[in-house]
Amino acid sequence: MKIHTILSPQLFSLFAKDIANKQVLIIDILRATTSMVVMLENGAESVKPVAGVEEAMRLKNENPALLIAGERNGFKVDGFDFGNSPQEFTEEKVQGKSLVITTTNGTQALSLSLEASHIWVGGFLNMDALVKVIANTQKDVYLFCAGWKGHVNLEDTLFAGAVADALVKLGGVVSDDATRAAMGLWGIAQDDLQGFLSEASHVQRFQSMHAESDLDVCLKFNTSNKAVAYENGVLVAIPS
Ligand code: MLT
């Protein structure tokens, strides 16, 4: 299994023709793909990621029982039921519910990846489960960092490096310098993730938004043993 890393959606066009029938892991640590896993971990019946606010609103108008979640520029969208803090998606609020989520970067990256045969979603919170399913699927994998508005960010790149490092230990083969760079970054940061990320642009944004406590959720390892796949338009939990 060859390992590739897409450091930003701006670079996706270089890979678009290659991902058909391959695996793609969508990475948006702060906070989209972390939140998606939390929703399913806390018992959501259905989680449907969509690229646009208008589509989320349309779905809600068609089915008022739907709960719509998401942000633009990190802030809850007016009229939505939730923002995008993983702390909002408690068992009490999401168990048995159907949710729609749209975010600035994470759902955009997912919408680019629909030609892949397997689309996985997650973060540090379900890392071991993701590594297991990706290794078992035995197809080349593209680690797709959602970044921030087209820019590379530290946290998604770090996670790509962590996953690549784990896959290499299971026989994966590094296929590009982006993956080597991500693994190098992971080697530097792995013993003090929060410390290393303290200067990250997204962390700075969270401090200005008083959302620092989300970092405790987003940077914690393996609080979920479920991989999450995007299948037939919705996210499904795959117990590992
Ligand atoms: C993203 O799409 O990058 C995140 O959802 C941003 C956020 O949660 O603030």
Side-chain angles (χ1 to χ4, degrees), residues 171-230:
V173 176
V174 175
S175 294
D176 56 24
D177 284 350
T179 305
R180 289 183 188 92
M183 290 174 73
L185 204 57
W186 171 243
I188 297 166
Q190 61 183 309
D191 295 332
D192 179 15
L193 211 43
Q194 292 231 9
F196 185 84
L197 287 172
S198 60
E199 300 299 316
S201 51
H202 215 137
V203 172
Q204 304 288 317
R205 262 193 297 278
F206 282 163
Q207 282 160 357
S208 65
M209 292 162 53
H210 306 297
E212 302 93 323
S213 61
D214 282 351
L215 295 172
D216 297 333
V217 177
C218 297
L219 301 183
K220 194 168 284 179
F221 286 81
N222 299 314
T223 51
S224 168
N225 67 358
K226 298 180 179 72
V228 172
Y230 178 77

Side-chain angles (χ1 to χ4, degrees), residues 28 30-32 71 73-74 84 103-106 147-148 202 206 209:
D28 187 344
L30 300 175
R31 304 165 288 185
E71 53 68 43
N73 300 309
N84 190 35
T103 69
T104 307
N105 305 282
W148 178 261
H202 215 137
F206 282 163
M209 292 162 53

Side-chain angles (χ1 to χ4, degrees), residues 60-89:
K60 175 86 172 179
N61 289 335
E62 287 172 3
N63 175 9
L66 271 181
L67 297 177
I68 53 179
E71 53 68 43
R72 286 297 183 267
N73 300 309
F75 294 97
K76 176 179 171 183
V77 176
D78 287 347
F80 276 29
D81 300 292
F82 299 101
N84 190 35
S85 166
Q87 300 181 81
E88 296 179 72
F89 307 114

